[in-house]
Amino acid sequence: AHGDLVMISKEDVVIIAVSYSGSSSEVLRIVPAVKRLGICLISLTGSDDNPLSSLSDINLNFHVEREACPLNLAPTYSTTCALALGDASAIACLTEKGFSCDDFARTHPGGH
């Protein structure tokens, strides 16, 4: 919402938005621009009943019963779940696309 929206274009296929509550104003503020461009919006939230999931084409629910924080306030388990879900989605996409070691080398020239 601070200028990075110029990076989103109608050529994009999918935008992934992550918000455990699904009510984060920072995330919800960009949804109209994404929808206006007709881009598929996939959300990762902690429930299926929130503003972001209702505005999304697909919602992946990563609800956790309790965080590791003794106060149940600091996101710990939920951030780990979001990371695992994001990684699994990325691997599924590169597998489906047939992404190879040569493709990886072209996009990651500094890696070994």
Side-chain angles (χ1 to χ4, degrees):
H2 294 282
D4 292 335
L5 283 177
V6 297
M7 297 175 67
I8 299 172
S9 75
K10 61 185 168 196
E11 283 78 37
D12 290 317
V13 178
V14 173
I15 298 293
I16 299 176
V18 181
S19 167
Y20 189 79
S21 70
S23 301
S24 302
S25 61
E26 302 93 337
V27 174
L28 290 174
R29 228 176 301 153
I30 67 166
V31 171
V34 171
K35 300 309 278 183
R36 194 169 37 254
L37 291 170
I39 300 169
C40 178
L41 178 61
I42 299 174
S43 59
L44 280 65
T45 68
S47 76
D48 292 319
D49 185 25
N50 60 68
L52 181 57
S53 65
S54 68
L55 294 168
S56 299
D57 297 292
I58 298 168
N59 181 59
L60 302 176
N61 181 340
F62 65 101
H63 175 75
V64 297
E65 288 297 318
R66 182 163 178 76
E67 299 288 0
C69 166
L71 302 173
N72 197 34
L73 296 173
T76 48
Y77 292 144
S78 59
T79 54
T80 302
C81 288
L83 181 62
L85 195 50
D87 284 352
S89 299
I91 297 304
C93 288
L94 73 85
T95 301
E96 181 67 25
K97 189 172 180 173
F99 196 80
S100 69
C101 291
D102 290 337
D103 295 321
F104 188 86
R106 268 193 303 283
T107 60
H108 194 267
H112 294 286

